[in-house]
Coordinates of all heavy atoms in Angstrom, one line a residue:
E127 N 7.9 -7.8 27.9 CA 8.6 -6.9 28.9 C 8.9 -5.6 28.3 O 9.2 -5.5 27.1 CB 9.9 -7.6 29.5 CG 9.6 -8.9 30.3 CD 10.8 -9.5 30.8 OE1 11.9 -8.9 30.6 OE2 10.8 -10.6 31.4
E128 N 8.9 -4.6 29.1 CA 9.3 -3.2 28.7 C 8.3 -2.8 27.6 O 8.7 -1.9 26.8 CB 10.7 -3.2 28.2 CG 11.8 -3.6 29.2 CD 13.1 -3.6 28.6 OE1 13.4 -2.9 27.5 OE2 14.0 -4.3 29.2
S129 N 7.1 -3.4 27.5 CA 6.2 -2.9 26.5 C 5.0 -2.2 27.3 O 4.3 -2.8 28.1 CB 5.6 -4.1 25.8 OG 6.6 -4.9 25.2
G130 N 4.9 -0.9 27.0 CA 3.9 -0.1 27.8 C 2.9 0.7 27.0 O 2.1 1.4 27.6
R131 N 3.1 0.7 25.7 CA 2.2 1.5 24.9 C 0.8 1.0 24.8 O -0.2 1.8 24.7 CB 2.7 1.6 23.5 CG 3.9 2.6 23.3 CD 4.3 2.7 21.8 NE 3.2 3.4 21.1 CZ 3.1 3.3 19.8 NH1 4.0 2.6 19.1 NH2 2.1 3.9 19.1
F132 N 0.6 -0.4 24.8 CA -0.7 -1.0 24.6 C -1.0 -1.9 25.7 O -0.1 -2.5 26.3 CB -0.8 -1.7 23.2 CG -0.4 -0.8 22.0 CD1 0.8 -0.9 21.4 CD2 -1.3 0.2 21.6 CE1 1.1 0.0 20.3 CE2 -1.0 1.0 20.6 CZ 0.2 0.9 19.9
R133 N -2.3 -2.1 26.0 CA -2.8 -3.0 27.0 C -3.5 -4.2 26.4 O -4.0 -4.1 25.2 CB -3.9 -2.3 27.8 CG -3.4 -1.0 28.5 CD -4.5 -0.3 29.3 NE -5.7 -0.2 28.6 CZ -6.1 0.8 27.8 NH1 -5.2 1.8 27.6 NH2 -7.2 0.8 27.2
T134 N -3.5 -5.3 27.1 CA -4.2 -6.5 26.7 C -5.6 -6.2 26.4 O -6.3 -5.5 27.2 CB -4.0 -7.6 27.7 OG1 -2.7 -7.9 28.0 CG2 -4.7 -8.9 27.3
G135 N -6.1 -6.7 25.3 CA -7.5 -6.4 24.8 C -7.8 -5.2 24.1 O -8.8 -5.0 23.5
E136 N -6.7 -4.3 23.9 CA -6.8 -3.1 23.1 C -6.8 -3.4 21.6 O -6.2 -4.3 21.2 CB -5.7 -2.1 23.5 CG -5.8 -0.7 22.8 CD -4.7 0.2 23.3 OE1 -4.0 -0.2 24.2 OE2 -4.7 1.3 22.8
R137 N -7.6 -2.7 20.8 CA -7.7 -3.0 19.4 C -6.7 -2.0 18.7 O -6.7 -0.8 18.8 CB -9.1 -2.6 18.9 CG -9.4 -3.1 17.5 CD -10.9 -3.1 17.2 NE -11.5 -1.8 17.1 CZ -11.7 -1.2 16.0 NH1 -11.6 -1.8 14.8 NH2 -12.3 0.1 16.0
I138 N -5.8 -2.7 17.9 CA -4.7 -2.0 17.3 C -4.6 -2.5 15.9 O -5.1 -3.5 15.5 CB -3.4 -2.1 18.1 CG1 -2.9 -3.5 18.0 CG2 -3.5 -1.5 19.4 CD1 -1.5 -3.7 18.7
A139 N -3.9 -1.8 15.0 CA -3.5 -2.2 13.6 C -2.0 -2.1 13.6 O -1.3 -1.4 14.4 CB -4.2 -1.2 12.6
S140 N -1.4 -2.9 12.7 CA -0.1 -3.0 12.6 C 0.5 -3.1 11.1 O -0.2 -3.9 10.4 CB 0.6 -4.1 13.4 OG 2.0 -4.2 13.2
F141 N 1.5 -2.4 10.7 CA 2.3 -2.8 9.5 C 3.4 -3.7 9.9 O 4.5 -3.2 10.1 CB 2.7 -1.5 8.8 CG 3.3 -0.4 9.6 CD1 4.7 -0.3 9.7 CD2 2.5 0.4 10.4 CE1 5.3 0.8 10.4 CE2 3.1 1.4 11.2 CZ 4.5 1.5 11.2
C142 N 3.1 -4.9 9.9 CA 4.1 -5.9 10.6 C 5.1 -6.4 9.7 O 6.1 -7.0 10.2 CB 3.2 -7.1 11.2 SG 2.1 -7.8 10.0
G143 N 5.1 -6.1 8.4 CA 6.1 -6.5 7.5 C 5.9 -7.9 6.9 O 5.9 -8.1 5.7
H144 N 5.8 -8.9 7.8 CA 5.3 -10.2 7.5 C 4.8 -10.9 8.7 O 5.0 -10.3 9.9 CB 6.5 -11.0 6.8 CG 7.5 -11.3 7.7 ND1 8.6 -10.5 8.0 CD2 7.9 -12.5 8.5 CE1 9.5 -11.0 8.9 NE2 9.0 -12.2 9.2
G145 N 4.1 -12.1 8.5 CA 3.6 -12.8 9.6 C 2.2 -12.6 9.9 O 1.6 -13.3 10.7
G146 N 1.5 -11.8 9.1 CA 0.1 -11.4 9.4 C -1.0 -12.5 9.0 O -2.1 -12.4 9.5
L147 N -0.6 -13.4 8.0 CA -1.5 -14.4 7.6 C -1.5 -15.6 8.6 O -1.1 -16.7 8.2 CB -1.3 -14.8 6.1 CG -1.4 -13.6 5.2 CD1 -1.2 -14.1 3.8 CD2 -2.6 -12.8 5.4
A148 N -2.0 -15.3 9.8 CA -1.9 -16.3 10.9 C -2.9 -16.0 11.9 O -3.5 -14.9 11.9 CB -0.5 -16.4 11.5
E149 N -3.1 -16.9 12.9 CA -4.1 -16.5 14.0 C -3.5 -15.5 14.9 O -4.3 -14.7 15.4 CB -4.4 -17.9 14.7 CG -5.2 -18.9 13.9 CD -5.5 -20.1 14.7 OE1 -6.6 -20.0 15.5 OE2 -4.6 -21.0 14.9
F150 N -2.2 -15.5 15.0 CA -1.5 -14.5 16.0 C -0.3 -14.0 15.2 O 0.4 -14.7 14.4 CB -1.1 -15.1 17.2 CG -2.3 -15.7 18.2 CD1 -2.8 -16.9 17.9 CD2 -2.9 -14.8 19.0 CE1 -3.8 -17.4 18.7 CE2 -3.9 -15.3 19.8 CZ -4.4 -16.6 19.6
V151 N 0.2 -12.8 15.5 CA 1.4 -12.2 15.1 C 2.1 -11.4 16.1 O 1.4 -10.7 16.9 CB 1.2 -11.4 13.7 CG1 0.3 -10.2 14.0 CG2 2.5 -11.0 13.2
V152 N 3.4 -11.5 16.2 CA 4.1 -10.7 17.2 C 4.8 -9.6 16.4 O 5.4 -9.8 15.4 CB 5.1 -11.6 18.0 CG1 6.2 -10.7 18.7 CG2 4.4 -12.4 19.0
V153 N 4.6 -8.4 16.9 CA 5.2 -7.2 16.3 C 5.8 -6.3 17.3 O 5.4 -6.3 18.4 CB 4.2 -6.4 15.4 CG1 3.7 -7.3 14.2 CG2 2.9 -6.0 16.2
S154 N 6.7 -5.4 16.9 CA 7.2 -4.3 17.7 C 6.2 -3.3 17.9 O 5.4 -3.0 17.1 CB 8.4 -3.7 17.1 OG 9.5 -4.6 17.0
E155 N 6.1 -2.7 19.1 CA 5.1 -1.6 19.4 C 5.2 -0.5 18.4 O 4.2 0.1 18.1 CB 5.4 -1.2 20.8 CG 4.9 -2.1 21.9 CD 5.0 -1.5 23.3 OE1 6.0 -0.8 23.6 OE2 4.0 -1.6 24.1
D156 N 6.4 -0.2 18.0 CA 6.5 1.0 17.1 C 6.0 0.7 15.7 O 5.9 1.7 14.9 CB 8.0 1.5 17.0 CG 8.9 0.4 16.4 OD1 8.5 -0.6 16.1 OD2 10.1 0.7 16.4
R157 N 5.5 -0.5 15.5 CA 4.9 -0.8 14.1 C 3.4 -0.8 14.3 O 2.7 -1.2 13.4 CB 5.3 -2.2 13.6 CG 6.7 -2.2 13.0 CD 7.1 -3.6 12.5 NE 8.3 -3.6 11.7 CZ 8.4 -3.6 10.4 NH1 7.3 -3.4 9.7 NH2 9.6 -3.6 9.9
C158 N 2.9 -0.4 15.5 CA 1.4 -0.5 15.7 C 0.9 0.9 16.0 O 1.6 1.9 16.4 CB 1.2 -1.3 16.9 SG 1.9 -3.0 16.8
F159 N -0.4 1.0 15.8 CA -1.2 2.3 16.2 C -2.6 1.9 16.6 O -3.2 1.0 16.1 CB -1.2 3.3 15.0 CG -2.0 2.8 13.8 CD1 -3.3 3.2 13.5 CD2 -1.4 2.1 12.9 CE1 -4.0 2.9 12.4 CE2 -2.0 1.7 11.7 CZ -3.4 2.1 11.5
P160 N -3.1 2.7 17.6 CA -4.5 2.5 18.0 C -5.5 2.7 17.0 O -5.3 3.6 16.2 CB -4.7 3.4 19.2 CG -3.7 4.5 19.0 CD -2.5 3.8 18.2
V161 N -6.6 1.9 16.9 CA -7.6 2.1 15.9 C -8.8 2.8 16.6 O -9.3 2.5 17.6 CB -8.1 0.7 15.5 CG1 -9.3 0.8 14.5 CG2 -7.0 -0.1 14.9
P162 N -9.2 3.9 15.9 CA -10.3 4.7 16.5 C -11.6 3.9 16.3 O -11.8 3.1 15.5 CB -10.3 6.0 15.7 CG -9.6 5.6 14.4 CD -8.6 4.5 14.7
D163 N -12.6 4.3 17.2 CA -13.9 3.7 17.0 C -14.6 3.8 15.7 O -15.5 3.1 15.3 CB -14.8 4.1 18.2 CG -14.4 3.7 19.6 OD1 -13.6 2.7 19.6 OD2 -14.7 4.3 20.6
T164 N -14.2 4.9 15.0 CA -14.8 5.2 13.7 C -14.3 4.3 12.6 O -14.8 4.4 11.5 CB -14.5 6.6 13.3 OG1 -13.1 6.9 13.4 CG2 -15.1 7.7 14.3
M165 N -13.3 3.4 12.9 CA -12.8 2.6 11.8 C -13.0 1.2 12.2 O -12.6 0.7 13.3 CB -11.2 2.9 11.8 CG -10.6 2.3 10.5 SD -8.8 2.7 10.5 CE -8.9 4.5 10.1
D166 N -13.6 0.3 11.3 CA -13.8 -1.1 11.6 C -12.5 -1.9 11.3 O -11.5 -1.3 10.8 CB -15.0 -1.6 10.7 CG -14.8 -1.5 9.3 OD1 -13.6 -1.7 8.8 OD2 -15.7 -1.2 8.5
D167 N -12.6 -3.2 11.7 CA -11.3 -4.0 11.6 C -10.8 -4.1 10.2 O -9.6 -4.1 9.9 CB -11.6 -5.4 12.2 CG -11.9 -5.4 13.6 OD1 -11.6 -4.5 14.3 OD2 -12.4 -6.4 14.1
I168 N -11.7 -4.3 9.2 CA -11.3 -4.5 7.8 C -10.7 -3.2 7.2 O -9.6 -3.3 6.6 CB -12.6 -4.9 7.0 CG1 -13.0 -6.3 7.3 CG2 -12.3 -4.8 5.5 CD1 -14.3 -6.8 6.7
T169 N -11.3 -2.1 7.5 CA -10.7 -0.9 7.1 C -9.3 -0.6 7.7 O -8.4 -0.2 7.1 CB -11.6 0.3 7.5 OG1 -12.9 0.2 6.8 CG2 -11.0 1.7 7.0
A170 N -9.2 -0.9 9.0 CA -7.9 -0.7 9.8 C -6.9 -1.5 9.2 O -5.7 -1.1 9.1 CB -8.2 -0.9 11.2
A171 N -7.2 -2.8 8.9 CA -6.2 -3.7 8.3 C -5.6 -3.2 7.0 O -4.4 -3.3 6.7 CB -6.7 -5.1 8.2
A172 N -6.5 -2.6 6.2 CA -6.2 -2.2 4.8 C -5.6 -0.7 4.8 O -5.2 -0.3 3.7 CB -7.4 -2.3 3.9
F173 N -5.5 -0.1 5.9 CA -5.2 1.3 6.0 C -3.8 1.8 5.8 O -3.5 2.6 5.0 CB -5.9 1.9 7.2 CG -6.0 3.4 7.2 CD1 -7.0 4.0 6.5 CD2 -5.1 4.2 8.0 CE1 -7.1 5.5 6.5 CE2 -5.3 5.6 8.0 CZ -6.3 6.2 7.3
P174 N -2.9 1.2 6.7 CA -1.5 1.9 6.8 C -0.7 2.0 5.6 O -0.2 3.0 5.3 CB -0.9 1.0 8.0 CG -1.7 -0.1 8.2 CD -3.0 0.1 7.6
I175 N -0.5 0.8 4.9 CA 0.5 0.9 3.9 C 0.1 1.6 2.6 O 0.7 2.5 2.1 CB 0.9 -0.7 3.4 CG1 1.6 -1.3 4.6 CG2 1.8 -0.6 2.2 CD1 1.9 -2.7 4.4
A176 N -1.2 1.4 2.2 CA -1.7 2.0 0.9 C -1.8 3.5 1.2 O -1.3 4.3 0.3 CB -3.0 1.4 0.5
Y177 N -2.5 3.9 2.2 CA -2.6 5.3 2.4 C -1.3 6.0 2.9 O -1.1 7.1 2.5 CB -3.8 5.6 3.5 CG -5.1 5.5 3.0 CD1 -5.9 4.5 3.1 CD2 -5.6 6.6 2.3 CE1 -7.2 4.4 2.5 CE2 -6.9 6.6 1.7 CZ -7.7 5.5 1.9 OH -9.0 5.5 1.3
G178 N -0.6 5.3 3.7 CA 0.7 5.9 4.1 C 1.6 6.1 2.9 O 2.3 7.1 2.8
T179 N 1.6 5.1 2.0 CA 2.4 5.3 0.8 C 2.1 6.5 0.0 O 2.9 7.4 -0.4 CB 2.3 4.0 -0.1 OG1 2.9 2.9 0.6 CG2 3.0 4.2 -1.4
S180 N 0.8 6.6 -0.3 CA 0.3 7.7 -1.2 C 0.5 9.1 -0.5 O 0.9 10.1 -1.1 CB -1.1 7.5 -1.6 OG -1.2 6.4 -2.5
H181 N 0.2 9.1 0.8 CA 0.3 10.4 1.6 C 1.8 10.8 1.6 O 2.0 12.0 1.2 CB -0.2 10.2 3.0 CG -0.1 11.5 3.8 ND1 0.8 11.7 4.8 CD2 -0.9 12.6 3.7 CE1 0.6 12.9 5.3 NE2 -0.4 13.4 4.7
L182 N 2.7 10.1 2.0 CA 4.1 10.5 2.1 C 4.7 10.7 0.6 O 5.5 11.6 0.4 CB 5.0 9.5 2.8 CG 4.9 9.6 4.3 CD1 5.8 8.7 4.9 CD2 5.1 11.0 4.9
A183 N 4.3 9.9 -0.3 CA 4.8 10.0 -1.7 C 4.4 11.4 -2.3 O 5.2 12.1 -2.9 CB 4.3 8.9 -2.5
L184 N 3.2 11.7 -2.1 CA 2.6 12.9 -2.7 C 3.0 14.2 -1.9 O 3.2 15.3 -2.5 CB 1.1 12.9 -2.9 CG 0.7 11.8 -3.9 CD1 -0.8 11.7 -3.9 CD2 1.2 12.1 -5.3
T185 N 3.1 14.1 -0.6 CA 3.4 15.3 0.2 C 4.9 15.5 0.3 O 5.4 16.6 0.0 CB 2.7 15.2 1.6 OG1 3.1 14.1 2.3 CG2 1.2 15.2 1.4
R186 N 5.6 14.5 0.9 CA 7.0 14.7 1.2 C 7.9 14.6 0.0 O 8.8 15.4 -0.1 CB 7.4 13.7 2.3 CG 8.8 13.8 2.8 CD 9.1 12.8 3.8 NE 10.4 12.8 4.4 CZ 10.8 13.5 5.5 NH1 9.8 14.2 6.2 NH2 12.1 13.5 5.8
R187 N 7.6 13.7 -0.9 CA 8.5 13.4 -2.0 C 8.1 14.3 -3.2 O 9.0 14.9 -3.8 CB 8.6 12.0 -2.2 CG 9.1 11.2 -1.0 CD 10.6 11.4 -0.8 NE 11.4 10.8 -1.8 CZ 12.5 11.3 -2.3 NH1 12.9 12.5 -1.9 NH2 13.3 10.7 -3.2

Side-chain angles (χ1 to χ4, degrees):
E127 296 180 0
E128 304 174 21
S129 303
R131 285 187 61 199
F132 303 106
R133 304 181 309 276
T134 302
E136 188 172 355
R137 195 165 67 105
I138 63 175
S140 173
F141 45 101
C142 48
H144 66 278
L147 301 187
E149 292 182 89
F150 298 88
V151 61
V152 165
V153 295
S154 297
E155 285 187 315
D156 62 0
R157 284 181 173 265
C158 304
F159 64 96
V161 178
D163 292 339
T164 55
M165 191 179 292
D166 59 40
D167 294 341
I168 289 170
T169 299
F173 196 77
I175 294 177
Y177 277 101
T179 293
S180 292
H181 182 254
L182 282 184
L184 294 176
T185 58
R186 185 181 179 92
R187 299 291 287 141

